[in-house]
Amino acid sequence: MSGKRVIAICMSGGEFQTEKGGSLSYKGGDAHAIDVDEQMKFIDFISEIGEMFNCDVRTVSLKYFLPDNKKTLISISNDKDLKRMIKFHENSNTADVYLLPEEATPDISNMPASRSSRTTLSEAIPPVPMDDMIDDTMGPEDLPISISVSAPPAVTMEQVMNRAEDAQIVINPSELMSSIVEVPNPTGDILTKARTQQWQNTITGVGQRFKNVGEFREALRKYAIANQFGFRYKKNDSHRVTVKCKAEGCPWRIHASRLSTTQLICIKKMNPTHTCEGAGGINGLQTSRSWVASIIKEKLKVFPNYKPKDIVSDIKEEYGIQLNYFQAWRGKEIAREQLQGSYKDGYKLLPLFCEKIMETNPGSLATFTTKEDSSFHRVFVSFHASVHGFLEACRPLVFLDSMPLKSKYQGTLLAATSVDGDDEVFPLAFAVVDAETDDNWEWFLLQLRSLLSTHCYITFVADRQKNLQESIPKVFEKSFHAYCLRYLTDELIRDLKGPFSHEIKRLIVDDFYSAAYAPRADSFERHVENIKGLSPEAYDWIVQKSQPDHWANAYFRGARYNHMTSHSGEPFFSWASDANDLPITQMVDVIRGKIMGLIHVRRISATEANGNLTPSMEVKLEKESVRAQTVHVAPSADNNLFQVRGETYELVNMAECDCSCKGWQLTGLPCHHAVAVINYYGRNPYDYCSKYFTVAYYRSTYSQSINPVPLLEGEMCRESSGGSAVTVTPPPTRRPPGRPPKKKTPAEEVMKRQLQCSRCKGLGHNKSTCKDYLLEC
């Protein structure tokens, strides 16, 4: 259609979600509009996109849906594709275009592809010719990395690999393909001179010996890569390997077999002559996943976040071999397992590891439980140094929170943290459980109670929706449960019904927080009345459902020192997340190492601390002392009761360390009214500060150390101290493949700045996606 123009709504930063029926929808991200007509060139189109999104268009691919078809993604890669998109949308004024990272292609490989699409697995990984079969079995690490897999809808490559492992598939030798991946090398890329010289002599000739068959195979791959020829296995098992050149009629051949009574592999026969063009590289290069793993293993040890796309780039640059994304990803998985051990072995080591924790750290508790089928259920760890520091010098304040794990098997990290005298996170105990359930939380609290056998009243700050509302008072009878304000705010926003604007919700949240921090009942009621003016429904929820005596300072009976959320432990989860994809014993040990390092650093800081209070409390007291200079103190007939006048009129009772502003009681530090009275008497304000803020208590918090836990190789199957072998197997559920979605909580969405259109002044969009503008066009 001549002169046809459409508005391309270009979207980036979101993600596809599969709806019922298999259709796809794109959620989140940013969007911009571009006018496109049949005269526009593809290079101009991508240049405008790059300027609009401020991105490198070489790193993204452009996709769009056919009209009335939300299952098929079509690629735009040249001028014809762009014109074809315009023609497809000749009956529409707009066309949605998605910017997808090149590395994201395997994640949507299950989608049907058009002729111009490059998202299908079959195109991404070419099939291996059936004439390249071998007649002997091979190890799983030697499986071909260029197998064409036909997966059902919504099944990713990772799922295919995991299911094969779960089922322990036995591959028939007659059905096994060649372990060679041929990478076209039309440009004649040559390996670096150093690599060529190094690998050309990995195979020297008859009589050469290798430690085992795996070492021989690895040497053979390097030899073929260096000399750039393809080969085919004729026999390949644990005691003999026969290989011939892949080129038809080429006499190059090698045979190696095991020396009797040993594991050594020796080359018995070899014809080193090539009559084909293999030595020149026209037959391509070959490798396997295990080879990729061996190449990147050392770098992965230094850079744990080594990305598959970087692996592809580095292998291409160093060796002239072009891998695809999945080949690099699988090679990384094998290398990581070689470095850190398998997940299954981690569970087997758990009983011994718990024993060693308690042997090397006396007074610590490391215990685990399994289910009836011996599969992993949960493990709890708390070190004596943490328990001692909490009981001796920390405020009786415990924060409970959780974090999902990224390991191969599903699980959740539960943690109990406190705060030291400097208001820094202090790890107390943690557990890895198979799922976040009522039973697991109660078990966690029971283990914690066995360590904190104290008569003091502990205040727990936690979400009431994690069913801790019943577990905390059940396990800790003399305790208080302070609801986490952030979780409570999320619950409020979710329960609100009706057409509330973003601005109204933000005002409700602001007043809700103000009501929570309000020290007295009159100020609490004032902020709640403000909410009533905005939403009677929100007011009823707060008064009738939220239980203010568990979260409002004005009514809470415990002492939480103005800590309103359970997210004080976020620093713990931040550095614990560095290890949450490791096998379970290594993950626990990495967390142990983090806590050990934290205690060591804090001990040095405590030793170097000057003054009477911790650094942060010194700053807070100094601010109150400055404010105390602006108020007037008047004594009364009672020597302990004083009237203090400033912006407000307050009463200070020195005998009870009480001020009518409630600041002294809430924080543990004298408020400026109290400081003014203390100065009036000529006394020292430090004498009226909570003991938990003193440098002496700060040093006592970190007076104990955590010791390393050596784990000896070869002890995996050793019997436990109970005398019977304990075997722990992985939990039956695995974490779903793919990156977990990052979903903002309702409160975070409300507090986020709202977009406002500069054309129509409406909320929720910008001028590029303004509907009024699109209708005008």
Side-chain angles (χ1 to χ4, degrees), residues 465-736:
Q465 291 301 312
K466 289 180 177 176
N467 297 305
L468 293 168
Q469 191 175 7
E470 298 179 0
S471 298
I472 290 176
K474 178 181 178 181
V475 178
F476 289 86
E477 296 179 0
K478 297 181 179 180
S479 64
F480 301 96
H481 182 186
Y483 296 159
C484 171
L485 194 59
R486 191 183 301 185
Y487 284 123
L488 201 61
T489 305
D490 294 341
E491 189 180 346
L492 167 62
I493 297 301
R494 283 195 300 265
D495 289 349
L496 282 181
K497 309 297 181 182
F500 294 105
S501 68
H502 177 89
E503 186 66 17
I504 292 297
K505 288 183 179 180
R506 187 183 63 81
L507 292 174
I508 291 175
V509 171
D510 288 343
D511 280 320
F512 186 60
Y513 268 74
S514 298
Y517 280 96
R520 295 192 297 251
D522 57 342
S523 54
F524 172 85
E525 295 296 339
R526 184 171 65 253
H527 291 296
V528 172
E529 285 296 325
N530 291 340
I531 295 176
K532 186 176 183 179
L534 296 169
S535 168
E537 180 188 357
Y539 172 84
D540 293 338
W541 187 92
I542 292 172
V543 174
Q544 300 174 11
K545 296 182 180 181
S546 68
Q547 300 173 287
D549 57 322
H550 282 276
W551 56 270
N553 276 338
Y555 300 106
F556 187 66
R557 292 175 295 171
R560 59 179 176 182
Y561 298 88
N562 234 19
H563 285 274
M564 308 300 288
T565 71
S566 61
H567 299 285
S568 295
E570 278 187 345
F572 171 82
F573 289 108
S574 177
W575 45 256
S577 64
D578 296 340
N580 68 7
D581 60 345
L582 295 174
I584 188 165
T585 49
Q586 294 190 40
M587 176 175 61
V588 170
D589 195 53
V590 168
I591 295 176
R592 177 208 57 79
K594 295 278 189 178
I595 300 175
M596 182 179 71
L598 178 143
I599 289 178
H600 177 72
V601 171
R602 297 269 178 84
R603 184 186 300 117
I604 296 175
S605 299
T607 303
E608 298 175 348
N610 297 319
N612 298 291
L613 304 180
T614 59
S616 65
M617 297 304 165
E618 284 280 7
V619 173
K620 292 181 180 179
L621 184 61
E622 179 63 28
K623 291 181 179 179
E624 297 298 330
S625 298
V626 172
R627 295 182 63 189
Q629 300 174 9
T630 63
V631 299
H632 176 71
V633 178
S636 65
D638 187 340
N639 291 333
N640 291 317
L641 195 61
F642 295 84
Q643 301 174 358
V644 181
R645 293 181 178 179
E647 296 180 357
T648 59
Y649 178 86
E650 307 294 347
L651 294 177
V652 178
N653 189 329
M654 295 299 296
E656 298 181 3
C657 295
D658 179 83
C659 178
S660 58
C661 78
K662 301 300 180 181
W664 196 353
Q665 300 92 304
L666 289 174
T667 64
L669 288 176
C671 59
H672 66 282
H673 309 109
V675 172
V677 174
I678 294 170
N679 292 336
Y680 178 84
Y681 255 117
R683 297 178 181 176
N684 191 343
Y686 292 114
D687 296 336
Y688 295 88
C689 296
S690 172
K691 62 182 180 180
Y692 299 112
F693 303 145
T694 63
V695 170
Y697 267 63
Y698 188 46
R699 290 171 181 167
S700 181
T701 304
Y702 300 102
S703 60
Q704 302 294 309
S705 300
I706 296 179
N707 301 319
V709 182
L711 192 60
L712 302 178
E713 296 292 337
E715 291 193 77
M716 185 182 302
C717 298
R718 195 189 77 177
E719 290 188 354
S720 65
S721 59
S724 60
V726 179
T727 302
V728 182
T729 60
T733 55
R734 286 185 169 182
R735 179 179 62 84

Side-chain angles (χ1 to χ4, degrees), residues 167-218:
Q168 298 181 344
I169 296 175
V170 177
I171 302 177
N172 190 313
S174 64
E175 297 176 352
L176 189 63
M177 299 179 184
S178 171
S179 65
I180 299 172
V181 58
E182 295 200 28
V183 183
N185 196 15
T187 59
D189 290 338
I190 305 300
L191 301 177
T192 60
K193 184 177 181 180
R195 288 293 182 185
T196 303
Q197 292 176 346
Q198 179 182 355
W199 287 358
Q200 278 182 341
N201 297 321
T202 54
I203 300 294
T204 57
V206 175
Q208 186 179 3
R209 299 178 183 178
F210 302 87
K211 293 180 180 179
N212 50 52
V213 70
E215 184 180 89
F216 171 69
R217 293 192 193 108
E218 192 64 32

